Amino acid sequence: MSPVRIPATGDLPESILASLAAMRGEDARYREGRTWSMIYYAGDGHHQLVQAAHDLYLAENALNPMAFKSLRRMEVEVVQMASGLLNGPPSTVGCMTSGGTESLILAMKTWRDAGLSRRPWLRSPEVVLPRTAHPAFDKAAHMLGMRLRKAEIGADGRVDLHHVGRLIGRRTVLLVGSAPQYPHGTVDPIPQLGELAARHGIPLHVDACFGGFILPWLERLGVVMPAWDLRVPQVRSISADLHKYGYAAKGAAVLLYRRIEDMKHQFFVTTDWPGGIYASPGLAGTRPGGPIAAAWAALHAMGEQGYLERAGEAWQVAERLRAGVRAIPGLHLLGRPESPIVTWAADPGGPDVYAIADLLQAAGWSVDRQQAPASVHCSTNAVNLQAVDRYLADLAEAADRVRSNPSLSGEGQAAMYGMMAKVPVNGLVQREVRKVMEKMYGPDGAPPELGGEALPPWAGKALDLFDRARRRVRGGRG
Ligand SMILES: *Cc1c(COP(=O)(O)O)cnc(C)c1O
């Protein structure tokens, strides 16, 4: 295929929009409630309002708050609303970011620099965090020259406090907990982590990227969970994503600090550029105005009542999912029921989770496969209400089919995931996935095959290697 070129003269708007609509038809069907991650949809009416707000600020640039004072004002108000929701004291400050990943990179940078300001001799500042913490921390550590010390989790998905205590050392500059962690939806024991942080004189960051805009409403609806936000006095910073349960447009999150003395380590200023003095709070230079305005609009449009209603509906979906999964022989739930996340796994000797996942995907569901242990993640939303019974019926049928056809485990993506769980060489999967990315982003880059029926290109070779390794082991023993 020859590469696409910029057209010599502009296409007609109608034809451009028609092409976009057609391309979009191939994507995950979130409006029908077929996605259980990535999409946080609060209905068509809300969507249109957020879209209109985004449109109004399409061209504006929050890089320079002097030129676009309205954007700075909205950012301040969004931070204040978030602080109110997360029980911040009056000293609370913060900023908007492009999403959870940027928030976490910035938090890591802030606490690295704060740590280095007290201990400039530190070579490799360390962060102690649960094994379930989001990979954005790994990405940040990689970029910032920091080292992660990962603590194990208990059977209920909460971080093991004894292990955390053992991992904290002289190089630790930050302790992290999640509210909730993504894989199982469990809220880490933040008050106890706070005590550990205080005992060792280190800051505690709570990653509430997922839960920041839904746990407060669930608590008000009576869902029991440990204190997890700025109520816990040792929590020094907290991240919460507006583009998840804030029902804002994508590209919006907040990062809050208990006080400006901490946040100051986040800022970047340079004064010797011929282009002038340059100061920036976050990672971006040019900052789109659309997501800021859309987030501001979303908070105003929802109001407490709107959020409470949406949270109640998401919880209803979660409760129905939990009850439904419990009723399916061979399956069980992971984690604690204190967030809108429902994660199911198979009993020992039960049906292969990944083979079930393949069947669900073939039936038109967007499936979020997890590992260690093999499980499937469902983030619930009001939009899933229409689909939850259908999902449970398809899940029960798929579990049944896999139980009577164990060979399905050797097909489709199940083969690859099953192999990954057993592969003796860790670096192999990493290398092969990197190759897939190089192919996807290479000159002939294309999206991966839809449907997921075909074995990914690298899995064949990996399976082969695995088989040979297994035979060698067997041979050695025999
Ligand atoms: C989504 C998420 C993040 C990362 O946020 P992005 O907006 O995807 O960059 C971080 N932590 C948790 C717990 C999340 O769920």
Side-chain angles (χ1 to χ4, degrees):
M1 265 203 318
S2 58
V4 175
R5 300 254 163 215
I6 297 173
T9 57
D11 294 338
L12 291 172
E14 307 86 77
S15 99
I16 294 169
L17 293 175
S19 305
L20 288 173
M23 286 195 281
R24 216 164 155 242
E26 299 171 17
D27 295 346
R29 289 147 60 187
Y30 63 89
R31 274 199 170 85
E32 298 161 39
R34 293 259 166 183
T35 52
W36 299 97
S37 60
M38 298 181 287
I39 294 285
Y40 303 83
Y41 192 69
D44 294 349
H46 180 76
H47 185 89
Q48 279 156 18
L49 180 270
V50 171
Q51 192 168 19
H54 196 284
D55 275 3
L56 271 177
Y57 278 86
L58 193 66
E60 275 76 355
N61 190 342
L63 169 65
N64 185 341
M66 302 306 181
F68 297 102
K69 294 193 181 68
S70 66
L71 282 172
R72 177 63 197 138
R73 181 167 163 205
M74 281 188 271
E75 182 180 19
V76 167
E77 292 185 6
V78 167
V79 164
Q80 287 172 353
M81 287 188 266
S83 171
L85 184 64
L86 303 177
N87 296 297
S91 60
T92 304
V93 290
C95 64
M96 288 184 69
T97 67
S98 60
T101 299
E102 183 183 350
S103 298
L104 297 179
I105 294 172
L106 289 174
M108 291 267 282
K109 177 237 177 314
T110 297
W111 293 116
R112 180 197 66 177
D113 291 355
L116 288 176
S117 73
R118 290 171 58 197
R119 290 172 281 173
W121 57 88
L122 272 185
R123 275 276 181 85
S124 167
E126 292 183 0
V127 178
V128 175
L129 75 179
R131 189 161 69 84
T132 47
H134 194 274
F137 286 105
D138 298 73
K139 206 180 196 176
H142 180 75
M143 293 166 70
L144 295 166
M146 299 167 83
R147 184 169 172 228
L148 299 185
R149 308 294 307 271
K150 297 192 182 182
E152 284 308 320
I153 56 167
D156 62 359
R158 303 204 290 181
V159 71
D160 176 342
L161 290 163
H162 292 290
H163 198 197
V164 170
R166 287 208 308 280
L167 290 175
I168 297 174
R170 293 171 49 199
R171 297 195 192 90
T172 311
V173 294
L174 176 64
L175 180 58
V176 169
S178 311
Q181 42 98 316
Y182 181 89
H184 319 113
T186 297
V187 179
D188 279 317
I190 304 300
Q192 287 86 343
L193 288 173
E195 282 165 25
L196 277 170
R199 193 175 320 147
H200 294 274
I202 51 174
L204 171 62
H205 176 86
V206 171
D207 177 11
C209 284
F210 187 92
F213 285 91
I214 186 139
L215 295 187
W217 313 116
L218 291 180
E219 284 190 283
R220 284 198 209 176
L221 292 171
V223 177
V224 177
M225 64 188 81
W228 55 274
D229 60 10
L230 290 161
R231 273 170 291 183
V232 179
Q234 298 89 357
V235 174
R236 300 271 288 276
S237 55
I238 186 165
S239 47
D241 290 357
L242 289 149
H243 63 198
K244 288 177 182 159
Y245 287 97
Y247 299 114
K250 292 275 192 293
V254 287
L255 172 58
L256 304 182
Y257 293 88
R258 189 174 285 277
R259 36 177 197 260
I260 189 70
E261 292 76 17
D262 293 333
M263 188 185 185
K264 70 176 188 198
H265 294 284
Q266 183 181 304
F267 300 144
F268 178 81
V269 178
T270 184
T271 52
D272 62 357
W273 183 41
I277 294 170
Y278 189 98
S280 125
L283 285 186
T286 292
R287 289 177 73 202
I292 297 175
W296 187 89
L299 288 159
H300 280 278
M302 279 283 166
E304 297 194 351
Q305 194 192 343
Y307 281 122
L308 274 168
E309 279 168 19
R310 291 314 189 304
E313 285 162 357
W315 187 252
Q316 209 183 313
V317 177
E319 288 288 88
R320 270 159 74 179
L321 266 187
R322 287 187 188 114
V325 168
R326 278 195 209 100
I328 299 174
L331 299 187
H332 65 266
L333 298 164
L334 297 180
R336 293 157 61 93
E338 53 197 9
S339 80
I341 291 172
V342 177
T343 298
W344 54 264
D347 301 343
D352 184 327
V353 167
Y354 300 130
I356 299 175
D358 285 354
L359 292 178
L360 287 175
Q361 190 169 325
W365 298 97
S366 184
V367 185
D368 191 347
R369 297 166 179 82
Q370 303 191 131
Q371 56 181 344
S375 53
V376 167
H377 168 115
C378 301
S379 291
T380 57
N381 268 280
V383 72
N384 301 119
L385 258 182
Q386 55 183 313
V388 62
D389 289 337
R390 185 68 203 280
Y391 179 82
L392 285 168
D394 287 356
L395 176 58
E397 191 195 315
D400 213 43
R401 260 181 72 192
V402 172
R403 218 178 291 109
S404 45
N405 289 292
S407 67
L408 287 172
S409 309
E411 295 169 20
Q413 290 198 35
M416 170 187 85
Y417 273 90
M419 180 269 304
M420 272 169 48
K422 294 174 212 149
V423 168
V425 239
N426 255 338
L428 174 73
V429 175
Q430 157 93 234
R431 271 199 305 282
E432 295 300 328
V433 174
R434 281 180 176 277
K435 275 189 211 153
V436 173
M437 291 188 77
E438 283 169 36
K439 205 165 142 54
M440 212 187 312
Y441 286 89
D444 303 315
E449 267 313 297
L450 292 169
E453 292 297 347
L455 212 60
W458 53 275
K461 186 180 145 210
L463 273 174
D464 213 50
L465 278 169
F466 171 55
D467 247 25
R468 258 187 282 163
R470 194 168 50 183
R471 256 176 306 187
R472 262 205 309 280
V473 173
R474 288 230 182 95
R477 280 196 195 126

